[in-house]
Amino acid sequence: MTIRTARPRLATTAVLGAALGATLALGTLPASAAVSDGYISGGGSFRNDWSDERVAADYYPRSNAACLWQKVLWAEGLLTNSEVDGAFGGNTAHQTGRLQSRWGIPTSEKADHGTFTKAAGRLKFVSGSTASGKKLELKYNGVAHDFTVRRNERGQYGFYLDDAWRAATYKKRTCI
């Protein structure tokens, strides 16, 4: 009789434990879904908006997200303006590695989470509101150049290139 009573309790405890674990895991997800949003995006404080973003030769290499990363490399004096084309190739990877080395972070030659986080540290408030659902304008302060980025009401980032605003999307490449 003891065995029959213990098995249902063990099963119930296991199910409740799994449900609690899943709830806790979901509760720790970042506010931005990053690539699944289709855009470099965020909300609230801009300081951690880019911490879950990434782009590399094997990860959305032909996109406006790659183009935004190349703008960072341009601002840091590692690419020329004509090399900002939204194609994360060998030179972009090499220059990303050089920047990672300069910044003292692990060198992967990929614009990974840690690299984007370090880049976000160079963003400066210009105007707007840091509240979610509000427009925000920021300036990326590079060693060689500065450029403006904007976060719209939906939390999606954009940047100015070739006399036009470009959405920082993973799914399109308009900066050719």
Side-chain angles (χ1 to χ4, degrees):
M1 180 130 179
T2 313
I3 295 173
R4 289 184 188 166
T5 309
R7 284 188 181 159
R9 278 191 215 149
L10 286 174
T12 302
T13 303
V15 169
L16 289 173
L20 177 61
T23 301
L24 290 173
L26 288 174
T28 61
L29 290 175
S32 172
V35 177
S36 64
D37 287 343
Y39 292 86
I40 292 181
S41 61
S45 172
F46 61 89
R47 294 284 177 214
N48 60 2
D49 276 356
W50 291 2
S51 64
D52 53 356
E53 308 295 346
R54 68 185 177 116
V55 66
D58 61 349
Y59 196 81
Y60 293 96
R62 297 190 175 285
S63 66
N64 280 11
C67 192
L68 174 63
W69 180 250
Q70 290 173 325
K71 283 288 286 188
V72 168
L73 293 172
W74 167 81
E76 295 298 335
L78 297 169
L79 290 182
T80 65
N81 198 45
S82 64
E83 292 174 298
V84 178
D85 62 3
F88 197 109
N91 188 45
T92 300
H94 175 73
Q95 299 305 338
T96 299
R98 286 185 60 203
L99 183 59
Q100 290 167 327
S101 180
R102 181 193 301 170
W103 283 347
I105 60 176
T107 305
S108 66
E109 295 194 348
K110 299 178 180 191
D112 52 21
H113 307 301
T115 308
F116 261 107
T117 298
K118 188 76 170 179
R122 300 186 68 84
L123 292 172
K124 305 297 179 210
F125 177 83
V126 174
S127 65
S129 173
T130 58
S132 295
K134 302 290 184 183
K135 290 182 181 180
L136 179 64
E137 186 169 310
L138 305 165
K139 183 169 295 283
Y140 182 90
N141 288 327
V143 169
H145 308 281
D146 298 338
F147 68 95
T148 302
V149 294
R150 288 184 179 161
R151 187 177 74 191
N152 67 19
E153 297 89 350
R154 294 180 305 279
Q156 300 165 341
Y157 275 88
F159 57 97
Y160 201 71
L161 177 70
D162 297 332
D163 300 321
W165 282 97
R166 313 288 177 163
T169 177
Y170 286 95
K171 299 180 180 181
K172 290 182 186 173
R173 179 180 170 214
T174 62
C175 53
I176 298 172

